[in-house]
């Protein structure tokens, strides 16, 4: 019976202990030395296991104080339309967004192709930061053909959700197709959500279709990995 | 009314991506030479290069010395179906391969026992496999299955046959529902060497549970997926009676 290397096992043990609440959020886990001794590992191996868990956002190391267990991450579901606001509502957190750009632009060749409009048609372009408990979680870009949402100019999208605005315009978002990939932001964009430039983020890209199977929105968001997991349920 | 004009680099990126879409470029297809792209879209060389660098960082393109700029391979994995890896691969014209790294019978520790709602010390099969598509390692999977549900699983061919097919056909288990959760981790040296990526490189961390129609947990699986190859896809639907 061969076994995984010990530090991989340690990672699984620590992961399970945080998952199951034996290590509660906010508490400090045993020191590197204690873990090394308890599991018969070198400090280097312990460090390797801790680094992976820090990367996943389960642990956070505080200079000179030790390694702490962070709170539960948000779970964004990948089966229900409703976007960030719905995710937040399900977690009983007040959704907040900070709009950086809300402006009209020309569709251009790419978004024309994706949204089935002419390259010279107007799109609403929204760039915003999604916050949870005041902390940035994601950077989001949304592209909507302007003719789909007349009156969009006058609506404060920090107050009303884009789904509200579809509703007022008789547009029913019925289906979305999304893909999740791992990506990196450029330094300026990374700073907007409080990241160092070289950290990996989850990139979510998707198109939403309405009751007439018309593409009504393309969105792309970059989510901090230490703040949010993505989950999907399936049924045969 | 505020208007927005994409910055030159963003515009260049959009031209490239539109070109890929319109010409239906596939994995490893080549983009035109830089000079040609600059002329086609009226861009200067440094703008084009910075757009290409962004698309490389996002994993869309890759460059090889002397062979130009090419479209990356991307494997879409649908999170919502119970299709096994091999079935998915064949349906998409790819050749699946599975390498059995470890097959063992382990005692459920407290955490695993609690997860499976079984007694501490009950036996579980632990199956570690490396999954490859067209020869490229894509996923490193470790699955746990209670021995009580699948006695003599060790006698099945898990390298050529599908595990899910064996569960369904040989053990008459009805794989009914479950969930799958994705986040990012960093690969340890051993994981990195199996997947052919750099040590510490970001990778998908995917955990899933698959239940039978009587709500018994049949399989618990933890996978590490190549970030530069894999995309996790799903279809989202409007939930009636909910307002976002």
């Amino acid at each position: 019976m061969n076994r995984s290397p010990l530090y991989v096992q340690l990672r699984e043990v620590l992961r399970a202990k945080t998952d199951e609440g034996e290590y509660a959020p906010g508490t400090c886990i045993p020191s590197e030395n204690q873990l090394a001794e308890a599991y018969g590992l070198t400090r280097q191996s312990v460090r390797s296991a801790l680094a992976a868990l820090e990367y996943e956002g389960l642990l956070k190391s505080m200079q000179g104080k030790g390694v702490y267990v962070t709170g539960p991450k948000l779970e964004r579901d990948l089966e229900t339309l409703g976007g960030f606001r719905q995710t937040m509502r399900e977690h009983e957190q007040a959704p907040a967004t900070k709009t950086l750009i809300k402006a009209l632009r020309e569709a251009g060749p790419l978004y024309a192709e994706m949204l089935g409009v002419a390259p010279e048609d107007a799109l609403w372009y929204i760039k915003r930061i999604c916050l949870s408990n005041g902390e940035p979680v994601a950077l989001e870009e949304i592209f909507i053909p302007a003719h789909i949402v007349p009156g969009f100019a006058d609506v404060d999208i920090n107050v009303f959700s884009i789904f509200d605005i579809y509703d007022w315009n008789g547009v029913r978002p019925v289906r979305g197709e999304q893909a999740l990939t791992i990506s990196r932001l450029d330094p300026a964009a990374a700073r907007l959500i409080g990241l160092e430039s070289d950290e990996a983020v989850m990139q979510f890209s998707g198109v939403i279709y309405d009751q007439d199977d018309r593409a009504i929105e393309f969105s792309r968001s970059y989510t901090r990995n230490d703040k949010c997991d993505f989950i999907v349920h399936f049924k045969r | 009314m505020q208007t927005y004009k994409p910055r030159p680099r963003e515009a260049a990126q959009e031209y490239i991506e539109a070109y890929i879409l319109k010409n239906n470029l596939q994995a490893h297809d080549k983009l035109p030479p830089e000079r040609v792209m600059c002329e086609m879209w009226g861009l200067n060389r440094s703008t084009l290069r910075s757009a290409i660098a962004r698309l490389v960082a996002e994993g869309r393109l890759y460059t090889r010395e002397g062979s130009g700029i090419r479209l990356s391979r991307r494997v879409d994995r649908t999170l919502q179906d119970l299709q096994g890896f091999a079935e998915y691969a064949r349906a998409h014209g790819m050749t699946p391969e599975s390498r059995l790294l470890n097959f063992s019978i382990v005692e459920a520790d407290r955490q695993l026992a609690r997860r499976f709602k079984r007694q501490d010390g009950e036996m579980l099969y632990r199956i570690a496999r490396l999954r490859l598509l067209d020869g490229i390692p894509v996923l490193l999977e470790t699955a746990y299955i209670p021995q009580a549900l699948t006695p003599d699983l060790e006698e099945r061919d898990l390298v050529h046959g599908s595990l899910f097919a064996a569960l369904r056909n040989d053990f008459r288990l009805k794989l009914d529902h479950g969930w799958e959760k994705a986040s990012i981790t960093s690969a340890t040296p051993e994981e990195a060497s199996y997947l052919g990526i750099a040590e510490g490189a970001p990778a998908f961390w995917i955990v899933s549970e698959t239940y039978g129609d009587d709500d018994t947990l049949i399989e618990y699986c933890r996978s590490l997926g190549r970030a530069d190859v894999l995309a996790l896809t799903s279809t989202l639907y409007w939930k009636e009676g909910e307002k976002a």
Side-chain angles (χ1 to χ4, degrees), chain A:
Chain A
M1 196 191 292
N2 62 34
R3 306 184 64 98
S4 357
L6 290 167
Y7 56 81
V8 175
Q9 288 179 34
L10 176 64
R11 190 183 66 186
E12 298 321 320
V13 169
L14 296 178
R15 204 194 320 257
K17 288 189 174 183
T18 53
D19 270 3
E20 318 237 332
E22 186 174 334
Y23 288 164
T27 58
C28 193
I29 67 163
S31 70
E32 276 180 17
N33 279 333
Q34 287 166 325
L35 289 170
E37 200 168 312
Y39 292 91
L41 292 168
T42 64
R43 280 189 63 166
Q44 183 50 43
S45 297
V46 172
R47 217 168 285 149
S48 169
L50 295 180
L53 294 175
E54 245 188 87
Y55 205 84
E56 286 170 38
L58 299 180
L59 300 176
K60 188 177 175 129
S61 101
M62 309 287 259
Q63 198 64 47
K65 286 189 173 161
V67 179
Y68 289 82
V69 180
T70 55
K73 289 161 82 174
L74 286 171
E75 272 181 6
R76 171 149 184 190
D77 94 51
L78 293 174
E79 65 223 13
T80 317
L81 283 175
F84 176 72
R85 278 170 189 266
Q86 182 178 312
T87 301
M88 301 299 288
R89 194 147 302 157
E90 281 169 2
H91 289 79
E92 296 174 347
Q93 299 200 25
T97 52
K98 191 173 141 200
T99 304
L100 305 174
I101 299 172
K102 177 193 173 194
L104 283 169
R105 60 161 282 176
E106 247 184 32
L110 176 64
Y111 300 110
E113 187 79 16
M114 285 180 152
L115 295 166
V117 297
E120 59 280 5
D121 283 356
L123 298 184
W124 280 104
Y125 170 56
I126 297 135
K127 183 173 182 176
R128 63 185 184 181
I129 297 170
C130 303
L131 305 150
S132 153
N133 293 332
E135 279 193 272
V137 175
L139 178 66
E140 186 174 43
E141 292 180 294
I142 304 172
F143 303 81
I144 308 167
H147 67 267
I148 288 183
V149 282
F152 195 77
D154 303 321
V155 182
D156 183 344
I157 54 168
N158 290 321
V159 176
F160 295 97
S161 82
I162 291 168
F163 284 75
D164 288 333
I165 303 167
Y166 289 142
D167 193 32
W168 302 336
N169 286 284
V171 174
R172 281 194 295 120
V174 168
R175 179 175 59 92
E177 298 291 346
Q178 73 79 27
L180 207 57
T181 51
I182 294 178
S183 176
R184 289 175 199 276
L185 287 166
D186 65 51
R191 269 195 300 277
L192 290 173
I193 52 171
L195 286 181
E196 302 292 332
S197 61
D198 62 341
E199 279 178 77
V201 291
M202 279 285 197
Q203 179 175 343
F204 173 101
S205 312
V207 179
I208 297 180
Y209 299 87
D210 73 355
Q211 67 270 32
D212 302 321
D213 214 26
R214 178 174 62 147
I216 54 170
E217 158 184 328
F218 171 74
S219 73
R220 180 162 49 213
S221 66
Y222 302 93
T223 303
R224 285 182 61 145
N225 178 55
D226 58 346
K227 300 283 183 204
C228 188
D229 285 334
F230 290 83
I231 188 160
V232 66
H233 297 84
F234 51 84
K235 173 100 181 116
R236 220 179 151 65

